[in-house]
Amino acid sequence: MKQTSRFKNLPDNARIQGIGNVFKYHDRKTWSIGVQFNNSHRKSLKFSQLPYLSRQVVLNQTSTATPPGFSVEITLPERDLWERGTVEECGLVKFRHSNEQSQNCFVFRSEGKTIYLPQLELARALFFTNNYLANAALIHNALDFEFDVDYDPELVGDFQPDVMINALPTSLCPKILFDNDEFRHQIAWILLDDDVKHSFQSIYAYLLDESVITEKYQQWKFRFDPPQLEGVSIAARGWQSPDEKTWFINRIEAIDGLYFPDITDIGYAHPNFIENKRGSGKGKGGTYPQLPTQREIDEDSDGSEDNESALIFCDATQRTYNRVPHTRKVYTKARNGSGGKKDEEKPSTLPPEVSTDDPSSRGDKPRAAIDGLDDQTDNDALSHNKFDGFFKMLELLEKEHGVKQNKHIVRKLPAVGRSESHLMVDGSPRCMAIVRIEYQSEGYFLLEVDTSDGKASIATKVISARALAPKGLLRDFIAEIERGLLSKQFCWPKKYFDALVGEGNHKSVPHQKSKGKGGLSEVDVHRWAERVLNVF
């Protein structure tokens, strides 16, 4: 994994060895958490930085490396079969700091293995995908005070939502998060499923009941009630006993099969949503100062009240739901004119250092919003026919030229800056397909972007697997590739690929644009296959 933001006061390649208690000094508003590193005397970070924090994760990476430990896939059992244990009881964690060893774990049996899953790590993967939700979890009924759920909403233009989620004027939730349909899915999942919401609210309940107050600070061993996750599978890395019968989970890398309520359409409103009218030259959602690929996080600063939040990125845990709704932002304000006026009191650019904490009067660093979501739910926007021509081309290569293809992956492209290239014309997510193929003992990755709406055209990217192998796995670089693609006016980031695999080890293969929205003709597919074959 390679982090895309740096922590200002940490050295390069700071590996997390242990995670301890949650605590807050009496003269501070914000909560912190004990974190032990292999090469730093620093003992804590802010709780708002939890999206970055798992055991054995390396912060401020200078090169990509596979985290230590072993990979494991687990199917979670019925919640009533989970027990409570500690890190120490597992016996597999060699870092002996007392605060680390006493942390709470869930303990359960799965497929013949005894699993020790730190409670904080599960909460991170389920809830703490951004700093807003991490902070909100430690406030009494924060979501009830910040969101109103309308189960009988009115028609909005041509859109009839089943449910409307309204961010109230008191909400501290950055409006930029609502540009991401992955966040819209997550906040709806929490607000609309009573079991999930109870799980989220149990965090504060345990904090209130179990925290210990001393002369200088209040501290607490993290604990919460999990939602029902029976049948959900997780992919993780961790430590295993010599007989492979006992496992300790360091980091959850993917969660598959989360239950989403059977709701078809959800609208989202925010008091600060501003729609740019046609002719403005800008996309929906207002203007937000957008951070470059990497910023420095000031671990100790509070957020300033003087800027709109902008996105920074961290390694995300993948997640899939059994279903997701169609979601749409609903605008209550409109900005007229050719370009509109920006809020004059809001800076258009941000300095290199940012804060992950909520805004306050004492804050001196621009507030940033962490994007730690990678929602890979297979819904109608990810259906096979979106890439009909691409998969027909692969079938042709397989049948006529002996090319072997592995299982494909389809990803929704993220929002980057003000660009709306990550959306199809109808507002649904634009996706990218990734396939590894073998031809004459050589491996290649093919990347194909869905342009079936006719809005844009982009060549198929072919990458040498042999050239990439010394640098790491393709999944470690996909987030950077996607951001490069969307920040370069919908073009593949050539300089990035040159640095990653070498100038001669990646090629762009153009394919004829369909004459209408949708698929290519059979002749076009044959020509496309020939061009790909020539690259091999």
Side-chain angles (χ1 to χ4, degrees), residues 426-445:
D426 66 0
S428 63
R430 189 180 301 278
C431 301
M432 179 171 68
I434 305 169
V435 183
R436 181 187 168 103
I437 64 172
E438 304 287 335
Y439 179 65
Q440 296 183 351
S441 301
E442 284 290 332
Y444 304 90
F445 292 102

Side-chain angles (χ1 to χ4, degrees), residues 175 273-276 283-288 329 331 335 418:
K175 63 181 180 180
F273 282 170
I274 300 176
E275 180 180 15
N276 288 293
K284 294 181 179 180
T287 57
Y288 310 106
K329 290 167 60 178
Y331 298 90
R335 175 185 290 142
R418 300 170 187 167

Side-chain angles (χ1 to χ4, degrees), residues 44-282:
S44 67
L45 290 173
K46 289 203 170 188
F47 196 81
S48 61
Q49 289 145 11
L50 261 173
Y52 292 90
L53 309 183
S54 297
R55 291 168 177 82
Q56 300 306 313
V57 162
V58 177
L59 303 181
N60 293 357
Q61 286 191 28
T62 58
S63 61
T64 300
T66 301
F70 304 91
S71 297
V72 64
E73 293 187 5
I74 302 162
T75 300
L76 298 178
E78 156 66 39
R79 178 175 52 189
D80 291 344
L81 299 177
W82 297 26
E83 299 178 356
R84 182 182 171 191
T86 65
V87 173
E88 183 177 25
E89 291 169 8
C90 176
L92 294 176
V93 177
K94 304 305 179 186
F95 186 69
R96 305 307 299 177
H97 194 283
S98 60
N99 280 346
E100 160 75 348
Q101 292 288 320
S102 63
Q103 293 306 304
N104 290 314
C105 294
F106 294 119
V107 186
F108 51 81
R109 298 277 297 171
S110 177
E111 300 165 5
K113 303 179 181 70
T114 299
I115 309 297
Y116 283 77
L117 173 56
Q119 294 199 19
L120 182 64
E121 175 58 20
L122 180 60
R124 182 200 64 80
L126 293 175
F127 300 129
F128 304 148
T129 60
N130 58 68
N131 42 326
Y132 165 72
L133 286 174
N135 285 334
L138 303 186
I139 300 172
H140 177 59
N141 287 342
L143 299 185
D144 288 336
F145 287 114
E146 300 204 3
F147 294 96
D148 173 69
V149 179
D150 183 358
Y151 287 94
D152 188 23
E154 297 179 355
L155 180 70
V156 183
D158 61 349
F159 178 58
Q160 178 58 67
D162 300 312
V163 175
M164 178 70 74
I165 295 177
N166 301 289
L168 300 175
T170 54
S171 178
L172 294 175
C173 184
K175 63 181 180 180
I176 195 172
L177 290 177
F178 289 94
D179 288 346
N180 186 345
D181 68 332
E182 300 178 357
F183 173 75
R184 297 200 294 263
H185 294 160
Q186 184 189 23
I187 195 67
W189 178 66
I190 297 173
L191 292 173
L192 303 181
D193 187 311
D194 290 340
D195 182 46
V196 176
K197 187 176 181 182
H198 168 80
S199 174
F200 185 84
Q201 292 178 328
S202 72
I203 296 170
Y204 178 80
Y206 282 117
L207 168 65
L208 185 66
D209 289 344
E210 298 181 353
S211 61
V212 177
I213 299 177
T214 68
E215 182 179 349
K216 294 183 178 180
Y217 54 81
Q218 182 178 358
Q219 68 172 342
W220 169 60
K221 288 181 175 58
F222 185 90
R223 185 183 173 196
F224 81 118
D225 295 329
Q228 179 60 266
L229 298 171
E230 182 179 10
V232 171
S233 61
I234 64 173
R237 293 190 69 85
W239 308 127
Q240 63 178 354
S241 62
D243 61 6
E244 301 183 15
K245 292 184 178 180
T246 302
W247 283 78
F248 178 85
I249 303 303
N250 286 323
R251 177 178 171 83
I252 296 173
E253 297 182 333
I255 306 177
D256 184 17
L258 294 172
Y259 174 80
F260 197 98
D262 188 9
I263 298 172
T264 303
D265 295 287
I266 302 178
Y268 297 80
H270 190 289
N272 294 325
F273 282 170
I274 300 176
E275 180 180 15
N276 288 293
K277 291 296 186 180
R278 289 189 180 275
S280 68
K282 300 193 182 292

